[in-house]
Amino acid sequence: ALALSEISRVLKPGGRIVLSTFMNPQLPFTNENLRKAVFGQMSSQNSVIRAWEEGELKDLCDRVGLINFECQRNREFIILKAEKPRI
């Protein structure tokens, strides 16, 4: 939520964002050795990988003032688009 809030803050009025995120918190890091190489020795409770639902992403965009939310599923990823309202 903090990252999206900061993106919204610095985005010019009328500016657009396109982001992607995981639908499954284990993908694409199903290989434990790869996961450790990328994220270190973190336990699964402290993992920085988080799965998001489309509704949660829309709510986040609404809360930070982004409009025209669109979401597209692409296998294990969700791709979202939104924009900052023009003043």
Side-chain angles (χ1 to χ4, degrees):
L2 291 175
L4 198 55
S5 179
E6 183 65 7
I7 290 169
S8 179
R9 184 185 73 78
V10 300
L11 199 61
K12 291 181 181 180
R16 298 177 184 164
I17 62 165
V18 176
L19 304 171
S20 67
T21 188
F22 305 110
M23 287 175 32
N24 179 332
Q26 299 304 314
L27 293 172
F29 303 106
T30 55
N31 180 297
E32 184 66 26
N33 292 328
L34 175 60
R35 188 170 32 250
K36 285 180 181 178
V38 174
F39 297 107
Q41 299 294 324
M42 292 185 265
S43 70
S44 60
Q45 290 93 8
N46 296 327
S47 176
V48 296
I49 301 173
R50 185 193 187 298
W52 295 89
E53 296 292 328
E54 292 176 41
E56 293 176 299
L57 294 170
K58 171 141 182 27
D59 289 346
L60 281 172
C61 286
D62 289 344
R63 278 191 280 174
V64 300
L66 297 173
I67 61 171
N68 297 331
F69 174 87
E70 293 180 33
C71 202
Q72 180 180 20
R73 290 177 177 258
N74 184 357
R75 297 192 334 192
E76 64 266 9
F77 298 98
I78 293 176
I79 299 169
L80 72 92
K81 301 178 228 172
E83 66 184 74
K84 187 170 185 172
R86 295 184 185 278
I87 296 177

